Each structure stands twice: as C-alpha cells, then as structure tokens.
Amino acid sequence: MRALSWMAVLAAAIACTAPLALAEEPLPALAAGQRGVAVHAARVVTVDETDRVFEPGMVAAVDGRIVYVGAPAGVPEGYEQHRRDEAWAVPGMIDLHAHVLSGGFGDINDMVLSVGPELSTAAAIVPSNRGLRTACAAGVTTLFLIPGSGTSIGGFGVLYKTHTRSTFENAVFANPGGMKVAQTHNPERRGGDLGLTRAGLSWVLGNINDRARAATTAGAEDFALANLQKIHTGELPVLIHCAGSDGAAATVRMWRGTYQTRSVLSHGSLGGHRVAAYAARMGMPVNHGPRTQDYFVSRTGAVEPTAFHYWNSGLPNFSLNTDSPVIPQEELFLQGSMSARQGVPGSQALRALTAHPARAFGIDHRLGSLEVGKDADLVLWSGNPLDPRSRVELVLIDGELQYDRTVHGQWF
Amino acid sequence: MKSIAICLLALGAAAPAALAQDVFALRVGRAETISQGTLEHAVILVEGGVITVVGQDLPVERGIPIVDLPDAVVMPGLVNCRTRIGVDSRGGGGADLTARASAELYPRQDVWAELLEVGVTTLGIYPPGTGIPGLAVAVKPEGETASEMIVKDPAYLQFYLRSDRSSKKLFTDAFDKLDKYLEKVEKEREKFEKDLEKEKDKEKKDAAVFKPSQPDDDVRPLLDLVTGRLNAVIGIRKAGDWLHLLDVLKERKFEFALQCDLRDDLDLFYIKDEVGKRGLRVIFDPRVVQHPSTRRERNLPAEFVAAGAKLALSPRADSVRAHEDWLQEVGELVRYGLDRQVALRAMTLEPAHVLGLGDKLGSIEAGRAANFVFYDRDPFDPAVKRLGVMIGGRFVSGDLGL
Amino acid sequence: MKTAAKHLTMKNFSLLSLFGALTAMAATPLWSAAPQEDEAADAAPTEVDTDADKYVAVIGGDIHTGTGAVLRGATMLVRNGKIRRIGHDIYIPEAAKVVHAHGYSIYPGMVALSASSRITDGTLSADVDDVESGIAAAEMGDGADADVTVEDWVEDWDQDFETTQAFDEAALRASDSYDPFSSFMVLTLAAGITSVESSNLPLKLRRDKLDDVVMGDGGAVNFNWGSPDARRSTAEDFKKAAAYLREYRAWEAAGDKEAKEPSRRGINSGAIKVLRGEGRAKFSADVAHDLLGIARLAQTYGFRPIIDGCREGWIVADELGRAGVSAIVQPRERRPKPDELMVGPAGSSIENAAILHKSGVQVAVKAMNGNVDLSGIAGRDLLALSIDAGFAVRGGLSEAAALQAVTIVPARILGVDHLVGSLEVGKDADFVITDGDLLHYETHVQLAFVLGEVAYEKNEELYYAHIRPRPKILITDGLKPAETAKDGDEATPPVEEPAPGDDPAPEDTPKPEDEPKPGDDPKPEDEPKPEVPPAQAA
C-alpha cells in the first residue's frame, strides 16, 4: 500500500515536471463495445486532496469512469474527443440541499406525519425537468433531491445526476441517498400537536431514533423503521436542516453526539455560525446556504460573513448549497463566489462545491474530484468557474456529453 | 468677591429691621453653584426669595437668621424644560401657533406637590400634538391658581420637523406668513416716510411716530422668535431631519434648542459636529443608547457636549417616578463619561435658558431665585438622600431649621 | 421685593423696538449664541472659507473612465466636486486633498435603475419611524412612479401643466424625505453605486447635504403597453399627437392671427412631449411581439423608446436596434418558453444583453431587485449590480459594454449623462476606488466619492471593514507624503496585487493523489469515520 503511494508520487512528479517526457500512451485501447472519451482543456483543476492542476491538461474516461487525468497525452483510436483550448476542466458541482424535484417548489412537504422515515422523494422526481437541465448547463451534475422541512423527518432523498435526456433509473445515483431531518424552526407545529416547542421537536426525533436503534440492536425488522435503521448502521447519511446557534448546537449534539450518525448540518444560518467550533470539534460537516451572510443578527453592526466563519473555524468539511429553488439551482457556483468575496480562498470555495459535499456524504470514492476511477462528471468552463462572467462550454456526466454550448446554445 | 460680599452685608446691616423676616443666610458644606462651579463652605444670603450674595466662608451679620447645614450639599432647584406632566389633552398634526399649554394648567393636583418633594422647582409644559403645536409655558409646581403657577408664558414655541413634505410645508407656510407681514410693514414704513417728507408742519413732523399694523395672532410668535423675544424648541427624530430643518430654515436667524428622544439605533451622532459647531442647545433624555444595529453603547449627550453643544436633560418620562429617578439617570451618564459640572448644569441652568429664564433661576448666584435642593452628599452618589427643597426662599419639603 | 413671577411677566412689545432688534439681529452671525451666555463666545463657529477652491487629487491608480479608456497610474484632479483633469503629469495644487490610490482602480460610480425608495429614505431598525416612513414611501414614493400613465392625463386637456407639475411634485417628495444617514445608502455606496433611480427620479447618494441630490426630472414619459387596450390607446395617442403637431406647425407657419390655434383637447401631452423630443417614451414590455409593436410605433413617429424588461429582445434584436431602442435588462432572469411545444424561440436568454448590444441597442443592466436584501442571501439584490453586469458578460457582452451598462447607459436613460456615468472632465466627481476589477466577484469598494466628497470608506464603516481587510487608503493634505507615513502601514500602498487573487488553483507542485477507494457502493460504516481536516485552517 505504502509502496504503491510512493510510486504514485513518482508518477505524479514525472507527470508534473516533464509532461512532454511521457511518450507512451497512458490511455488504454478500447475493447469492443467500450465507450471512450477524452477532453482537452487549457487547465484541468482536479480538486483532489492536493489540489493538482494541469496546464494544459487532459481527462479521459472509459465507460463513464475516469481512466486518465494529467498532461495532454496521445489518444488511441475510438475515443470521442473534445477540445476546448481556452477552457478550465472542473469536476461537476454537487448540491446536497436541492428541491428541484419537478423543476420548482412543490411535492416536497407531506405534512400529515411529523416523522416520516418511510417517505421518499423518488416518487416525486420528474426526470430531465427544466430545473435539472438548467442545472446541468450550469455545471451542477449531482443533486441530493430531498423533501422539505415542514416536518421533523420529511423522509428520504435521492442522489440524482442531472442527465439532460434520461430516465430516472439511468440518472439516479443512489436511492435512497440519505435522510432529511428538520431539527428546528420549520417543523414547529401548531394546533396541539407534539412539536410546538423545541423540547417537543427534540423528543419526537429522539423517540423515533431510540426505537430504530433498539430495533437494530435486537436484530428486529420493522418495516416502518427499515430506512431509518440504515442511518443508525451508518449505511446512509442524514442531512439536518437547522438554524440559529441553539438549533445548530442541538443538531450536532443529537446526530453526532448521541447517535453518532453520518450526519451533515445543513443551513446553519441566522447565528448558527457561532457553533462552528463545536461542530468542528465533533467532526460534523456543515453544508451552508442558501444564506451565506448575516445582517445584524449578532448586533455587532457588521455584515457577518458566515460562510467565511464556518470555513475559518477548522471544520473538517465545509460545503455550500442553494436550497434550490430558494436560489436557482443553476447559481450554485455563485454561492462559492459570494463565499470567496468574504475571504474564503477561491480553491477552497470550489472545494465546497465539489469534493467536500461528496466526502460529507461518503460518495467521494466516485464523485467530487477528477481522479482516476471516479465518475467522469466533468465540466468545461470558459474560465474561473466562480466568476459569473465565465460560461459553461461542455458538460459530461458519466462520460456522456450532456451539454455543448456550441451545439445546444447557451442555456445559462 | 469676598470683599464685595462683606460690603453688601454691611449695607444690609444698616437696615436690619426691614430685612428681619425676609432675609436669611444659608451656610452649607458645599454649594453646586453651576455658574461658579463647586463652592466649599458656602454662604448664601437670600433676600425676599432671591439670592443676593454667594461666597465662601463669609461672615454673617448678627441678627440675620442662619440655616446652618455644615454637612449638606445644595444645588439649584431642578428645572425640567420639557414635559407634559399634569396635563393630558391630545393634539393634532397641523400648525397652531396660537395654542398655549398654559390653557391646560390645572393647579392643586397632587402631582405638583410630589414634584416639589423630589426637588423640581420649575417646569416647562409644552403643548400637545405634532407639527407646530403651539406655545409652551414655564411654571412652578405650586400655587392655588394657574396664574400663580405661571412663571413665564409663553416660554417657547414648539416645533417638530420630520423628513417629509407635509412637515416641511408647515414650516415654510408659517414663515411665509411672517415674511408677508414684514413686507407689509416695510411698505407701510415707506409710505409713512414719504408722507413725512411731504409734511410741512415741523411740529407735526417731529411728533409723528410710525405705527405699523399689528401682526395676526399666528404671526406674532414668529415675530417674537426672529426678534429674540421668544425661544423655540424644535423636535427631530433622526439625523436626517436636521438637514431638512436647515433646508426649511435657510437664512432665518432665531434662538432655538434641538430636541430628540434618545433611543437605541438612533443615528444622531452624524450631526453632532454640525450642531456643536453652531453652539446649539440640545434637549435629550438621560439615556445611554446603542449604536445602530449593534450592542455598542454610546453616550450621545456627552458626545454632543464634546462637540460643542449645550446640553439640557429632561427626565425620560412624564411621571413623578421619572422625575425622582432623573438625578440618578443623569448620574449614570456621568459614570459613562459626561462631565459632572455639565451634568448638573443640564438639569438646572441650561433648561432654564430653554425657558428663557436663564437670568432668573437655575444657578446659585446673586439675582437668581432662591430655589434649592439639599442633599446629604454628592447628588450623583447612588446613596444620596434628599434633605429638603426650597422654592422662593421657603422650605417646601424637609425642615432644616428655618 | 419683586416676586419672580412679576419680574418675568412679558412686556408688551412695541414695533419700534422690534425693528431696532431686527437691525441688531442682522449684524449678529447666524445661530448666534444666547445673549446671556458669555462663555459661549469662545465656542463661536469658525466659518469655512467658501471662496477657496476645493481640490481633490486621486493619484497612482488605474482610472477606468467608462468611455472605454483605461489610464494606468494616472491622476484625476477634482475641483469643487467636478472633474477638472484626468491624465498623467497633472499639476496638483498645494491645497489639494491627495488620495494615494496606487495599486487600486478608479471607476465611475454605478447608476442603479429601479431602486427602492428605501435606499434614500429608509432606516434599518424596525421601529415606529421605519414603519411610518415605509407607509409614506408606499403612499407617495414607489406607488406614484410607474402609474403616472396616459390614462391619468387623457381626461384632462390642460396636460402640459399637469405633466410638469407631476415631475416637480415628485422631485419635492424625493428630496423632502431624503435621508443621507440611511444605512441602506451606506450599503448601496459600498456596492459601488453612487446614483439611483428612485420614484422615477435620478438621485445622488450624497452623505452630507441635500443640495444637488435630485439631478433631473427623470426625462422619461411612461406609456402603458401592458394590455391590448392599452396598446391600442397608446398608439392612438401618438397618432393624434402627431396630427396635432402637424396642424400646429402649419398654423404657426401661416402666421395668420385670425386663424384659430389648433385645440389640444384630447391630445396626450406625454406623446406631444416625446414627439417634440422633450422627453423619452418609456415602456415596460417583455414579449417579442410587444417589443416589435413598440419598435414599429417608434419608427412610425420617429422617437427612440426606452424598454424596461425586454426579456425576449434577443429574438427581435435587429428591429429594436433599428428603432433606436434603449433596453433595461436583467441578465439573470430565467423565464422559460411558456409552452415547451411552442414553435420558434421564446423566453429569456442569458445572451439577451449581448445580442441586443450587437444589434445597436443601448443596453442598461438592472439588479434583480431594487432593495437591499437583509435576509442573508448574497448576490441577488441591488448590491449585486456589478455581479449582474458580470452575468451579461457571461452571455457574451464585452467587458467594456457591461461596465457601460451599469454606468453611462443608465445615466443616459435618466437624462443625466452630462453629470454622471463616466469619468470625464466637467462631469461630477462621483467615483469609486476599488481593490480590483469592478465586475469581479471578490472586488470591494474601498472609497466612494460623491461630488468630490468621501461618501463611503470601507475601513470607517462597520459593515464590511472586517471582510477582506486592507490598509486604509492614505489621504493627505497636499502632495507631500505625510509625516505619519513612517509609523503604521497606512501610507504604504498595498504590495499584493488586487483581486482577482484567488483563482481556484494553488501554486504548489502537484503531490500524490489519494488512492481511490475500492468498491462502487457506499459501504456501511459502524462508526462515523473521522474526517481529515483540510489544510484550510492554515
């Protein structure tokens, strides 16, 4: 294992210092029936662990998986080739908090049960809907399409790729992809239901979690709790909507502290950034947005750059979301721009839109960066992807061309 | 100072019989004179309810009764130049320059005695309403009839200026009327002088006196204002109002005090330099407020004083309780950096000036009314006890030996 | 002994003494202290010498004039609030305030169309005043603007008077409620905007005075194009107005005193104003056939319309260009085809601004909304005007045209391009000093000047001072470097390059990548895996 990684160092060093020295073809020849694609760009931003950049660079994939990332190299016959000599190649962006199941709001809140771990958004997704297509044309390739926050547990969401012409089965990445919880605020209930207060909300969540955990320990099968049990076995992640410092703290305490789930704190706005250090200490990823700043909440008189605060707090994993369509799905990149405006370094802001959300959800072995073996979800931008002035030239998902500006016209 | 005082005392001794009942001396541990600062071992001679001599360690002529309070601190009776206490009518939003708060006066209420009890000896009661509600009255909180209570009527003309068109129009309309009147008088005078030239009879010519027509009732207060006979108090609610005030006042010159209720998020600090540069008097309530959108505390009264403004402080509400707390709330501003002498002055002489009574009361010096409050220690000491109150040379609260 | 009350009773005044007093008052300075206040004499106001010219010189920065030219390391000299000179080797008067802008960029302040009236009269704290001013704004500010349409005037034959009156009233309202200390104004200046269109009027964001705040009457006459009836009646109005003007000119040319002057009864005065070239017609329209209708109307009667919205302008751009249209667009607007099965193009396009510009249409960019969004969502309100200009570039508009779309073009639309919208000699010194390209997302405004006075300074206001902090830009009296320059870094121009500084690419040499995880499916894990903190904290 160690030897292998040393070899990788050596290979990388050669690739970097003397790219032209690589005479032999690193790309495999295509076997019959295999589908190969090679993309040439002015700059390949891998967003891998060491933030490698290749200028110029090339990414190649066979049957949807990346087989080569590096300096331009010879391409064997049969590969579909795309060349954008001015463009940056960047991993497709990932939004862990998206509601564009059918293109806009709607079909996301089933308000009858205050906890609904049996529910799933899978039934509500309209494949290739307009929201998904525009997202794709804006470089967003994977969405966690989730229920709303009207109830304590809205149900399970689907990890979905923004294929522009596809069936549900082809576009789905993981179903269920994870659970959606609303810790505070929105699920507060009126009219005598349990859950009028934070105490009630907390009990509702604690009660069902305890039942699921007990069932898991006992090896019992409970149809209603089957999916929730996967949260407690660590099989699936959970995304928790919360706001305010109390809400954010309660989220970390319950889902990291008490239940030790693979949990991601979402939003964390309206003062939640004051809990960032606690979340960092507990190793809890934060998926921040759509609000990335606070005006006067803390009464310092300053505009609080909350995205910067989270990033700067030493969190293991900081990502950004749109809560689409609160912010249109296609403007996910602008959440990165606005964070960079606050002082988050550009490379880190890009990471918060790619590698970090993938890692937070445990799907980083396939998504979030341009590395050999991962899904060929690749976007070519005319320049810096955080700059609103840059446009998306080309989008590949699973190595398949989804959008080409020169062919399809500019969608966004 | 001392020699003059002795000289005066000697004069007084020349006719002891005449003064016997009317004259007395106060000998106190310390006097906050306001005009001359703090005077230790002060001796104050009062004749007929008016202070005649103030000095340090002065000898007192035999035969003059002495109120000896070697441990007491005395300061002038408190003056609140802006209140609606004791009156309760409601006002509208237009301009009524003839309305007088004195018409609302209702003597023989408990509230007056209670105010005296807490040391308030002069009050400025302003008319109700917004816009230009009318004329304020200065009263003392004692008397059997309204006219006995009245010290000065009118005391000042009350305005409010808001950053909106209708409010500014009230101002300009009112002053347009004054301008028209002045133009008319100017024409009358020209005619008078022309006629005078034609007049051949020298005797008649010398005897002729120009008699301009009288102004209307709603012009008269403005005429008094621009001729320096009347003060104005102009209420604003935010810094922006100040610029709109300048916009409507243009080149007009008259004496006015700027009033604003202090509250959190107030942006008034923006104009402190402009107000201070002009040496204006400001009327605030004693409050430490928070900078807009923050929890940062600001002592606006102290900031305005530092910028050059003169400061009058009124109690934060129109209740006896607020008047009772007044001293301690001003003391809080002192602890937040307001100069102690300025703070004392802001409760006495400055509000007296607002009422146009600055030469009659509000300080301990010769010629001012003998209105005093006696304390057992520094007035801003949180443990302070009030020993007594004197108005016009009579104790109305406490009994300290006369 | 006199009692105090007796002593203080008001004397009856005589007018003779009154005039004596008046004369005496005339000699005393304004705001004279109370006569009984001796000690106040010390604090007498020191008068500013108003005769002296006031100079401000901005030196060392890159001056983007907004006319296409960029002068590197140049000087801009401002005299009494107006731009006096721009260039190199300019003599700087000794008395000038010198702004040391080395390493910074200077741009004309942006002109924001369709801003909320709250920018100029609002306060941030939600107290009673706020609610009241909000109501007042609703009653007399925003509500009044778009609705001053032909319908309101058509009934009244004496319309010329009405029209002028309407603009004067609006000017009075806007300036009478103007609050230069409004927090919204500070935030708007921080976004690089120095002028706004509020209630149809061009206003300067001035922080110290009310003078010269209203720059003009807006210059535009609104016409309703919102319904078939409105379109018909507007077209009819122009037809009648044109006929009237023909008659009138003929009558005038004839010079026959006996002949009756043509009647203006039933003629829309707004249309007359437009046809006489005294004001520009403004329409609000989005759909292609509506835009075409306006273009035809304009070409028929020979005027150059302003079209607000213009969503489908890209479809009929050539026609709009030929008709001399000025378009106000929102580049980020997303409005799909109303029906997927519809034949032909429809809906919004990110390329709208670019296509219109290419066809000769004057393109102005407006923000997504005219208000300051306090909800915490960044980049989608008035403060994101420069970002919106960036979205126009995304659609293919050139950088220079995008800058003009938020500066000189809106200034032209408001009829104030002789005052603002570009940095040219003789114009108002309304400009911003930024730490980089104005259209870049990381750029912050460091200083904003209005009429040559500092209206915003990032380091001096609470809002953004702590975000991407930078040393204060040095401002000295005269050119000589200040004595204080030695201590503190204030005098030192920033060494680092202005934004864009943070491309998402590190300078580090590539290092080995982590071995990809085996397996295709997410594996269940018993314990939450400890995540390795990235090197971000460093």
Side-chain angles (χ1 to χ4, degrees), chain B residues 382-395:
Chain B
V384 70
K385 268 205 194 77
R386 197 172 41 250
L387 301 174
V389 179
M390 183 177 265
I391 185 166
R394 286 172 294 109
F395 272 108

Side-chain angles (χ1 to χ4, degrees), chain A residues 1 9 16 43 50-52 130 134 233 291-293 303 315 331 340-341 384 388-390 410-411, chain C residues 332 334 340 375-376 380 394 399 437 441 443-444 463 466 468 505-506 510-513 515 525 536:
Chain A
M1 184 71 171
V9 171
C16 173
R43 185 177 217 190
T50 54
D51 262 331
R52 286 183 310 159
R130 192 179 281 132
T134 321
T233 58
R291 291 174 179 79
T292 53
Q293 60 188 20
V303 176
L315 275 176
E331 290 188 31
R341 183 175 174 77
N384 174 358
R389 291 173 289 187
S390 304
Q410 191 171 349
W411 290 0
Chain C
R332 256 189 282 181
R334 303 288 306 151
E340 295 258 349
S375 76
R380 302 181 65 75
R394 184 190 191 92
E399 299 264 344
D437 180 355
Y441 58 93
T443 298
H444 284 271
Y463 306 112
H466 58 302
R468 288 190 167 269
K511 285 179 192 149
E513 58 183 292
E515 197 191 351
E525 287 172 55
Q536 60 189 20

Side-chain angles (χ1 to χ4, degrees), chain A residues 112-375:
Chain A
V112 177
L113 302 168
S114 66
V115 282
E118 309 97 311
L119 306 180
S120 164
T121 54
I125 292 171
V126 178
S128 304
N129 73 56
R130 192 179 281 132
L132 296 174
R133 277 182 293 157
T134 321
C136 174
V140 184
T141 54
T142 307
L143 299 173
F144 184 38
L145 292 171
I146 52 174
S149 50
T151 59
S152 292
I153 295 181
F156 278 72
V158 178
L159 278 163
Y160 198 83
K161 290 204 184 178
T162 59
H163 281 268
T164 50
R165 298 167 300 275
S166 191
T167 57
F168 176 86
E169 284 71 20
N170 194 32
V172 73
F173 181 81
N175 178 27
M179 188 170 76
K180 165 74 185 298
V181 166
Q183 191 80 14
T184 53
H185 295 85
N186 295 17
E188 282 164 23
R189 298 219 145 193
R190 309 282 177 272
D193 280 4
L194 189 59
L196 179 67
T197 63
R198 300 281 159 82
L201 291 170
S202 182
W203 184 87
V204 166
L205 285 171
N207 179 49
I208 195 161
N209 276 322
D210 288 344
R211 277 166 52 207
R213 198 157 66 162
T216 309
T217 316
E221 243 182 73
D222 184 329
F223 174 73
L225 298 175
N227 277 340
L228 184 56
Q229 280 177 273
K230 288 183 187 164
I231 302 294
H232 287 277
T233 58
E235 196 176 327
L236 287 175
V238 54
L239 186 84
I240 305 116
H241 155 116
C242 67
S245 47
D246 54 342
T251 299
V252 178
R253 201 179 303 120
M254 175 179 283
W255 297 95
R256 264 292 139 133
T258 309
Y259 297 112
Q260 300 178 352
T261 55
R262 274 170 53 198
S263 43
V264 179
L265 187 156
S266 197
H267 302 317
S269 307
L270 306 172
H273 66 278
R274 274 171 270 173
V275 181
Y278 176 48
R281 207 165 59 241
M282 298 289 280
M284 181 124 181
V286 170
N287 178 241
H288 191 46
R291 291 174 179 79
T292 53
Q293 60 188 20
D294 268 352
Y295 278 93
F296 322 122
V297 169
S298 54
R299 297 281 274 165
T300 60
V303 176
E304 285 296 340
T306 55
F308 178 81
H309 285 317
Y310 273 118
W311 169 78
N312 200 34
S313 66
L315 275 176
N317 185 305
F318 164 70
S319 59
L320 291 160
N321 69 42
T322 60
D323 199 357
S324 64
V326 172
I327 287 178
Q329 192 61 67
E330 60 268 25
E331 290 188 31
L332 175 60
F333 79 93
L334 194 64
Q335 294 289 74
S337 324
M338 291 296 118
S339 305
R341 183 175 174 77
Q342 295 173 3
V344 177
S347 60
Q348 297 295 314
L350 182 60
R351 188 165 282 271
L353 302 166
T354 51
H356 271 180
R359 171 139 36 101
F361 253 37
I363 50 177
D364 51 330
H365 59 293
R366 284 188 54 189
L367 303 176
S369 62
L370 300 179
E371 291 174 84
V372 172
K374 293 198 179 184
D375 289 12

Side-chain angles (χ1 to χ4, degrees), chain C residues 267-351:
Chain C
I267 312 293
N268 182 300
S269 71
I272 293 177
K273 198 176 165 190
V274 170
L275 295 184
R276 278 180 173 161
E278 291 159 2
R280 289 187 70 182
K282 187 172 170 187
F283 300 82
S284 191
D286 281 308
V287 185
H289 63 78
D290 285 350
L291 301 176
L292 275 181
I294 295 166
R296 279 189 209 113
L297 184 76
Q299 280 177 308
T300 307
Y301 297 105
F303 64 88
R304 292 168 49 240
I306 299 163
I307 305 180
D308 190 356
C310 222
R311 184 195 309 134
E312 293 183 353
W314 57 282
I315 300 167
V316 291
D318 282 347
E319 287 85 346
L320 300 187
R322 274 199 294 278
V325 166
S326 296
I328 304 169
V329 303
Q330 212 313 300
R332 256 189 282 181
E333 186 180 21
R334 303 288 306 151
R335 190 74 73 91
K337 257 188 198 187
D339 183 348
E340 295 258 349
L341 300 175
M342 201 171 138
V343 177
S348 59
S349 165
I350 186 78
E351 297 176 276

Side-chain angles (χ1 to χ4, degrees), chain C residues 224-262:
Chain C
N224 191 347
W225 205 253
S227 67
D229 278 350
R231 292 193 277 276
R232 250 194 311 279
S233 109
T234 298
E236 189 69 12
D237 283 340
F238 275 101
K239 192 175 165 185
K240 282 188 192 162
Y244 162 78
L245 283 176
R246 268 195 305 277
E247 266 182 65
Y248 182 85
R249 280 184 203 118
W251 171 79
E252 210 174 28
D256 182 358
K257 278 181 194 158
E258 298 299 302
K260 199 170 160 236
E261 183 183 333

Side-chain angles (χ1 to χ4, degrees), chain B residues 207-230:
Chain B
V209 176
F210 172 59
K211 286 200 187 95
S213 55
Q214 290 292 306
D216 291 343
D217 285 349
D218 58 345
V219 172
R220 189 176 292 261
L222 296 175
L223 194 60
D224 289 349
L225 208 59
V226 297
T227 51
R229 291 163 169 276
L230 187 63

Side-chain angles (χ1 to χ4, degrees), chain C residues 162-425:
Chain C
E162 287 276 304
T163 320
T164 346
Q165 188 81 348
F167 283 123
D168 289 346
E169 304 263 308
L172 280 171
R173 282 170 195 153
S175 55
D176 282 345
S177 58
Y178 193 86
D179 186 354
F181 307 115
S182 152
S183 310
F184 290 120
M185 199 178 288
V186 187
L187 290 165
T188 307
L189 283 161
I193 296 163
T194 56
S195 304
V196 295
E197 177 203 17
S198 176
S199 308
N200 261 8
L201 287 174
L203 302 179
K204 261 185 207 305
L205 300 186
R206 214 180 166 175
R207 297 281 294 147
D208 50 347
K209 292 194 185 81
L210 303 177
D211 311 341
D212 305 321
V213 153
V214 180
M215 289 187 283
D217 66 3
V221 186
N222 286 296
F223 289 94
N224 191 347
W225 205 253
S227 67
D229 278 350
R231 292 193 277 276
R232 250 194 311 279
S233 109
T234 298
E236 189 69 12
D237 283 340
F238 275 101
K239 192 175 165 185
K240 282 188 192 162
Y244 162 78
L245 283 176
R246 268 195 305 277
E247 266 182 65
Y248 182 85
R249 280 184 203 118
W251 171 79
E252 210 174 28
D256 182 358
K257 278 181 194 158
E258 298 299 302
K260 199 170 160 236
E261 183 183 333
S263 167
R264 288 189 64 165
R265 184 175 287 272
I267 312 293
N268 182 300
S269 71
I272 293 177
K273 198 176 165 190
V274 170
L275 295 184
R276 278 180 173 161
E278 291 159 2
R280 289 187 70 182
K282 187 172 170 187
F283 300 82
S284 191
D286 281 308
V287 185
H289 63 78
D290 285 350
L291 301 176
L292 275 181
I294 295 166
R296 279 189 209 113
L297 184 76
Q299 280 177 308
T300 307
Y301 297 105
F303 64 88
R304 292 168 49 240
I306 299 163
I307 305 180
D308 190 356
C310 222
R311 184 195 309 134
E312 293 183 353
W314 57 282
I315 300 167
V316 291
D318 282 347
E319 287 85 346
L320 300 187
R322 274 199 294 278
V325 166
S326 296
I328 304 169
V329 303
Q330 212 313 300
R332 256 189 282 181
E333 186 180 21
R334 303 288 306 151
R335 190 74 73 91
K337 257 188 198 187
D339 183 348
E340 295 258 349
L341 300 175
M342 201 171 138
V343 177
S348 59
S349 165
I350 186 78
E351 297 176 276
N352 195 18
I355 293 171
L356 285 168
H357 182 260
K358 215 169 133 190
S359 303
V361 172
Q362 292 259 332
V363 178
V365 163
K366 66 175 177 182
M368 294 197 74
N369 71 64
N371 232 320
V372 176
D373 185 342
L374 299 180
S375 76
I377 290 184
R380 302 181 65 75
D381 58 359
L382 187 72
L383 306 187
L385 185 57
S386 59
I387 298 287
D388 279 304
F391 273 98
V393 175
R394 184 190 191 92
L397 193 64
S398 71
E399 299 264 344
L403 178 62
Q404 294 191 341
V406 286
T407 52
I408 191 70
V409 180
R412 267 183 217 134
I413 284 172
L414 296 171
V416 293
D417 50 321
H418 59 296
L419 297 174
V420 298
S422 62
L423 300 179
E424 292 177 82
V425 172

Side-chain angles (χ1 to χ4, degrees), chain B residues 132-382:
Chain B
I132 311 178
L135 297 156
V137 59
V139 302
K140 57 187 162 96
E142 62 164 9
E144 292 297 302
T145 64
S147 57
E148 273 182 52
M149 289 181 73
I150 292 172
V151 180
K152 188 174 183 224
D153 185 25
Y156 56 80
L157 182 56
Q158 175 73 53
F159 294 87
Y160 298 95
L161 197 278
R162 307 274 176 264
S163 298
D164 66 55
R165 188 162 180 225
S166 55
S167 177
K168 290 173 79 173
K169 196 165 180 299
L170 288 179
F171 262 70
T172 45
D173 286 357
F175 280 104
D176 282 352
K177 272 191 187 165
L178 173 67
D179 290 344
K180 280 205 184 101
Y181 168 73
L182 291 177
E183 271 171 36
K184 191 173 111 188
V185 172
E186 192 52 40
K187 272 183 193 144
E188 285 172 0
R189 190 220 286 275
E190 276 170 24
K191 186 173 179 296
F192 170 79
E193 279 168 2
K194 228 177 244 172
D195 291 349
L196 205 60
E197 273 174 34
K198 283 181 207 156
E199 182 62 59
K200 298 210 172 78
D201 186 339
K202 183 153 189 320
E203 218 162 278
K204 265 190 188 169
K205 200 169 184 169
D206 290 345
V209 176
F210 172 59
K211 286 200 187 95
S213 55
Q214 290 292 306
D216 291 343
D217 285 349
D218 58 345
V219 172
R220 189 176 292 261
L222 296 175
L223 194 60
D224 289 349
L225 208 59
V226 297
T227 51
R229 291 163 169 276
L230 187 63
N231 294 346
V233 170
I234 303 179
I236 60 171
R237 288 195 293 191
K238 56 176 184 176
D241 293 343
W242 161 255
L243 293 182
H244 291 281
L245 176 62
L246 295 188
D247 190 37
V248 291
L249 290 181
K250 300 208 162 65
E251 297 302 312
R252 293 183 198 286
K253 300 156 191 165
F254 59 84
E255 178 86 2
F256 72 87
L258 201 63
Q259 179 271 330
C260 188
D261 290 334
L262 300 190
R263 55 172 200 275
D264 289 345
D265 295 332
L266 186 66
D267 60 356
L268 215 61
F269 49 86
Y270 280 121
I271 62 168
K272 64 182 178 190
D273 291 336
E274 286 297 305
V275 171
K277 203 168 76 186
R278 291 172 160 90
L280 279 186
R281 197 167 276 119
V282 291
I283 306 171
F284 291 146
D285 35 351
R287 224 186 264 260
V288 174
V289 297
Q290 290 173 353
H291 183 87
S293 309
T294 71
R295 301 247 182 262
R296 217 174 74 194
E297 285 173 324
R298 290 194 88 133
N299 188 344
L300 287 178
E303 289 183 37
F304 270 77
V305 169
K310 285 173 258 169
L311 175 70
L313 292 166
S314 283
R316 70 183 141 72
D318 295 336
S319 64
V320 175
R321 180 60 198 262
H323 283 77
E324 201 171 354
D325 296 344
W326 186 14
L327 192 68
Q328 282 316 306
E329 285 174 354
V330 174
E332 194 62 19
L333 291 186
V334 172
R335 283 184 279 283
Y336 270 83
L338 181 65
D339 179 80
R340 193 175 161 282
Q341 282 297 330
V342 170
L344 290 167
R345 195 184 174 88
M347 308 174 76
T348 53
L349 189 56
E350 290 301 340
H353 280 313
V354 171
L355 297 169
L357 296 171
D359 55 344
K360 299 286 180 282
L361 49 89
S363 63
I364 300 180
E365 59 184 310
R368 305 299 202 273
N371 299 346
F372 302 115
V373 204
F374 300 89
Y375 298 102
D376 66 340
R377 64 193 74 191
D378 187 289
F380 293 133
D381 189 321

